[in-house]
């Protein structure tokens, strides 16, 4: 065997290495950045520390995918310069050359935060800057007029997400500022005008606000009825056990101001697990496609720097489609895996119309730690049922439904390595209301992560786990009674890296 074949065989096979999630080849990664679709490629930049496996001087790492599943790693997109390191931000296609960077053609513009400190002081300084690319994102030139936006009075001032607002014919920037979101407008991406601020006394303030995103979505796929969604991630504050997480607001936006349609005290969470943070959506997905596609960083600032991987640290969630749906509680954001992931399906196991009873594991013959399950249950006499995955003699991760409380949960208390941080082990749950006495469950397991979508993406839990890689048993379990399994499909999933 020549070296190349050998290398390929061993590529992405380290302990805990995700097989179909995006993770950097080496070193540290956090937030997704600069997500933009252009000339047949989805670009993914990411907060990257090329010299270590913990957070450090930030660069933008870079990868592209044509199908949201298979990734090509590219050289670092943006590196620190005289204005500082490169924090989170976004990228857009400047179709009409409003910036003047592209001699009348179109090209990519990245809008990001330059982070340094004020002269002769330790006080952090965060300012917004631009870079542009004329070659499909392969090389970038920093704008000579950087930075393009600064506010001396605001210390936490970062993570610009920019989009073109057709109705008012201008660029909009949403930016995190302390514990609010500030909105700026521009005709050319170069000069920005402040228009409004949102957030005081709205939603959760259990941490600094970061990584906003703002976009419009149809309600129940009806393009005559639309609402705007504002995503806001909130940072880790040691007082709150959840660590960093992402909330969202639903409302209206008129090109200047965001109006929240919910009671300001209401907090809506995008995910009820611990490991989905700083997620934002792709810009410029063609209108024939029309999807709002999202990816989050699959970790939590509470313990992100100490998770037990060696060569690299952190992965992204699978790409998900965001939609607004009317539910019993009102309009909610739902998330589902992109359909492109179906291309990874390998072996298939089907079970139909079976009654699950205690002590009889219908999946006793199935093994794996890289798979997908789609199941529908009809509530019976059982008080709890679900799956135990990545199970071995002493470890298991439980994905269950508690019938009485109508809660869906991931219990990683005994899932494997957990002693790297005292807040890691635990059970994370959310409400899941049966519809016609049924619940549907869509689960993705990939070596060291669980992504759980209940009732077509209405309830979502994303959690990291660090099980022994030999623990490949899967159990369908039930407690104190029976449950009817209307249907189950289990697919083993192929690696996207080899
Ligand atoms: C969110 C965040 C951003 C910041 C980046 C720095 O995880 O704190 O606010 O731009 O990470 O890496």
């Amino acid at each position: 065997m020549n070296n190349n074949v050998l290398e390929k065989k061993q590529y992405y096979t380290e302990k805990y290495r995700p097989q179909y999630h995006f993770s950097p080849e080496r070193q540290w990664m956090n937030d997704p950045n600069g997500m933009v679709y252009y000339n047949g490629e989805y670009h993914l930049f990411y907060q990257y520390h090329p010299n270590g496996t913990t957070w450090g001087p930030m660069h933008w790492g870079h990868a592209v995918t044509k199908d949201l599943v298979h990734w090509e790693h590219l050289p670092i997109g943006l590196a620190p310069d005289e204005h500082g390191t490169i924090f989170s931000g976004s990228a857009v296609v400047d179709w009409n050359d409003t910036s003047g960077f592209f001699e009348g053609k179109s090209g990519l513009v990245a809008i990001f935060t330059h982070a340094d400190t004020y002269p002769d002081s330790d006080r952090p300084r965060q300012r917004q800057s631009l870079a542009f690319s004329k070659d499909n994102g392969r090389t970038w030139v920093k704008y000579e007029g950087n930075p393009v936006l600064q506010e001396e009075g605001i210390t936490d001032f970062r993570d610009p997400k920019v989009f073109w607002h057709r109705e008012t014919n201008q660029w909009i920037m949403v930016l995190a500022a302390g514990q609010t979101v500030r909105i700026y407008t521009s005709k050319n991406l170069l000069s920005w005008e402040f228009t409004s601020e949102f957030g005081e006394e709205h939603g959760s303030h259990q941490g600094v606000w970061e990584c906003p995103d703002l976009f419009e979505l149809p309600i129940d796929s009806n393009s005559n009825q639309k609402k705007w969604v504002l995503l806001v991630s909130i940072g880790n504050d040691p007082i709150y056990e959840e660590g960093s997480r992402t909330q969202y607001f639903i409302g209206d936006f008129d090109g200047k101001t965001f109006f929240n349609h919910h009671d300001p005290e209401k907090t809506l969470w995008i995910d009820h697990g611990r490991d989905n943070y700083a997620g934002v959506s792709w810009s410029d997905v063609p209108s024939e496609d029309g999807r709002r596609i999202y990816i989050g960083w699959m970790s939590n600032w509470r313990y992100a720097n100490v998770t037990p991987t060696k060569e690299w640290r952190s992965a992204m969630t699978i790409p998900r489609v965001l939609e607004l749906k009317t539910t019993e509680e009102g309009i909610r954001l739902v998330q589902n895996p992109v359909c492109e992931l179906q291309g990874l399906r390998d072996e298939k196991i089907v079970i139909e119309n079976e009654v699950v009873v205690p002590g009889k594991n219908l999946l006793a013959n199935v093994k794996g730690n890289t798979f997908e399950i789609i199941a529908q249950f009809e509530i019976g006499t059982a008080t709890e049922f679900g799956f135990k995955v990545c199970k071995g003699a002493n470890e298991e991760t439980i994905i269950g439904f508690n019938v009485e409380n109508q809660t869906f949960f991931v219990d990683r208390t005994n899932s494997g390595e957990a002693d790297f941080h005292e807040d890691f082990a635990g059970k994370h749950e959310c409400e899941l209301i049966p519809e016609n006495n049924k619940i549907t469950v869509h689960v993705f397991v990939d070596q060291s992560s669980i992504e759980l979508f209940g009732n077509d993406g209405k309830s979502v839990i994303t959690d990291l786990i660090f099980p022994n890689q030999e623990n490949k048993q899967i159990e369908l379990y039930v407690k104190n009674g029976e449950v009817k399994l209307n249907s189950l499909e289990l697919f083993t999933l192929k690696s996207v890296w080899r």
Side-chain angles (χ1 to χ4, degrees):
M1 210 183 302
N2 72 31
N3 258 349
N4 268 346
V5 176
L6 195 67
E7 263 170 34
K8 185 106 183 133
K9 274 203 153 172
Q10 289 168 351
Y11 190 55
Y12 276 68
T13 54
E14 305 94 334
K15 192 175 179 194
Y16 304 134
R17 180 67 101 164
Q19 294 303 301
Y20 57 87
H21 286 78
F22 180 81
S23 61
E25 278 184 316
R26 291 272 168 275
Q27 312 295 35
W28 165 271
M29 173 179 85
N30 56 293
D31 315 356
N33 294 152
M35 292 160 69
V36 65
Y37 180 88
Y38 190 48
N39 286 338
E41 294 176 323
Y42 296 87
H43 291 263
L44 174 66
F45 297 85
Y46 50 89
Q47 288 288 281
Y48 186 49
H49 182 204
N51 304 315
T53 51
T54 51
W55 191 84
M58 282 292 111
H59 297 55
W60 275 24
H62 189 195
V64 288
T65 176
K66 291 193 166 70
D67 62 0
L68 293 167
V69 175
H70 297 90
W71 299 91
E72 181 190 344
H73 291 294
L74 292 173
I76 285 172
L78 299 174
D81 59 31
E82 72 275 18
H83 299 301
T85 58
I86 316 293
F87 274 18
S88 287
S90 52
V92 293
V93 184
D94 185 8
W95 290 106
N96 297 315
D97 195 21
T98 61
S99 60
F101 291 148
F102 304 110
E103 292 98 30
K105 299 194 194 91
S106 68
L108 294 177
V109 180
I111 308 94
F112 58 91
T113 301
H114 257 132
D116 64 353
T117 49
Y118 281 91
D120 308 317
S121 135
D122 292 339
R123 191 183 149 214
R125 177 167 71 171
Q126 300 180 347
R127 303 182 291 177
Q128 318 319 315
S129 288
L130 307 177
F132 58 93
S133 170
K134 297 180 179 178
D135 58 358
N136 294 317
R138 285 352 188 232
T139 58
W140 291 83
V141 178
K142 302 238 183 67
Y143 173 49
E144 58 186 12
N146 282 344
V148 296
L149 175 62
Q150 50 190 318
E151 300 272 7
E152 285 246 350
I154 312 175
T155 302
D156 289 302
F157 187 64
R158 58 178 180 265
D159 309 339
K161 181 76 162 73
V162 172
F163 63 94
W164 179 255
H165 189 247
R166 214 177 299 124
E167 293 77 0
T168 56
N169 221 16
Q170 61 186 346
W171 297 103
I172 309 288
M173 178 196 292
V174 285
L175 189 71
Q179 289 202 16
T180 62
V181 160
R182 286 168 78 87
I183 298 177
Y184 295 81
T185 60
S186 172
K187 292 283 178 202
N188 56 11
L189 295 165
L190 312 177
S191 67
W192 292 91
E193 196 182 317
F194 171 74
T195 64
S196 69
E197 187 160 2
F198 169 79
E200 213 185 307
E201 292 177 4
H202 285 257
S204 170
H205 290 267
Q206 297 181 343
V208 64
W209 284 26
E210 300 183 316
C211 300
D213 194 359
L214 179 63
F215 46 83
E216 196 179 25
L217 286 178
I219 303 169
D220 300 322
S221 311
N222 176 356
S223 51
N224 297 319
Q225 250 200 320
K226 291 183 170 179
K227 284 272 169 257
W228 286 80
V229 176
L230 176 66
L231 305 182
V232 179
S233 283
I234 63 167
N236 171 40
D237 179 328
I239 310 174
Y240 304 102
E241 61 170 341
E242 293 90 345
S244 56
R245 54 223 141 112
T246 303
Q247 61 179 327
Y248 70 93
F249 302 91
I250 300 174
D252 280 316
F253 176 66
D254 61 3
K256 286 194 166 137
T257 310
F258 176 79
F259 305 93
N260 181 13
H261 277 201
H262 286 279
D263 173 2
E265 275 158 33
K266 175 111 193 136
T267 302
L268 298 166
W269 300 109
I270 197 167
D271 198 305
H272 297 268
R274 290 284 192 268
D275 299 299
N276 180 1
Y277 192 63
V280 288
S281 65
W282 259 289
S283 179
D284 291 278
V285 172
S287 53
E288 313 87 81
D289 180 320
R291 290 177 297 176
R292 182 55 56 173
I293 310 169
Y294 159 100
I295 238 173
W297 173 46
M298 203 156 50
S299 195
N300 190 315
W301 279 118
R302 181 62 61 94
Y303 44 70
N305 275 286
V306 294
T307 54
T309 60
K310 259 219 228 89
E311 299 80 0
W312 87 101
R313 203 172 257 129
S314 298
M316 298 298 180
T317 65
I318 48 173
R320 305 170 179 189
V321 177
L322 301 181
E323 293 172 294
L324 288 177
K325 288 268 155 71
T326 307
T327 72
E328 281 177 13
E329 299 166 288
I331 301 168
R332 290 290 182 275
L333 191 67
V334 308
Q335 303 171 58
N336 283 293
V338 294
C339 58
E340 285 87 341
L341 288 160
Q342 293 171 16
L344 294 176
R345 291 174 178 176
D346 197 7
E347 283 165 45
K348 178 178 178 180
I349 283 125
V350 179
I351 303 177
E352 269 169 354
N353 298 320
E354 283 276 355
V355 176
V356 191
V357 295
K360 186 180 155 209
N361 175 17
L362 296 174
L363 296 172
N365 296 327
V366 189
K367 302 248 172 318
N369 55 7
T370 310
F371 61 89
E372 172 189 6
I373 301 176
I374 305 170
Q376 190 192 61
F377 294 93
E378 200 167 321
I379 312 292
T381 53
T383 57
E384 187 186 306
F385 58 86
F387 302 95
K388 296 181 180 174
V389 300
C390 299
K391 188 173 153 71
N394 307 311
E395 294 174 1
E396 62 188 21
T397 300
I398 311 170
I399 298 166
F401 182 69
N402 180 315
V403 178
E404 200 190 335
N405 302 341
Q406 304 200 325
T407 50
F408 207 29
F409 63 86
V410 171
D411 188 346
R412 65 177 179 190
T413 309
N414 201 16
S415 61
E417 232 180 307
D419 56 0
F420 56 89
H421 197 284
E422 57 184 11
D423 293 337
F424 186 79
K427 180 174 173 180
H428 311 135
E429 57 187 21
C430 67
E431 189 173 65
L432 184 75
I433 301 168
E435 295 167 7
N436 302 321
N437 205 36
K438 294 181 197 116
I439 64 157
T440 61
V441 184
H442 197 169
V443 190
F444 283 83
V445 176
D446 188 5
Q447 304 276 340
S448 52
S449 65
I450 306 281
E451 283 158 289
L452 179 53
F453 303 85
N455 285 355
D456 302 313
K458 290 192 189 118
S459 306
V460 179
I461 299 182
T462 306
D463 267 348
L464 292 175
I465 50 169
F466 296 99
N468 182 320
Q469 281 191 299
E470 302 309 314
N471 292 344
K472 294 188 176 174
Q473 293 167 33
I474 307 169
E475 182 185 334
L476 180 54
Y477 81 96
V478 61
K479 274 190 185 166
N480 309 318
E482 301 175 352
V483 68
K484 172 120 184 285
L485 177 64
N486 286 341
S487 60
L488 177 145
E489 289 179 305
L490 186 152
F491 301 93
T492 59
L493 298 177
K494 289 180 270 197
S495 173
V496 303
W497 302 107
R498 288 183 305 283

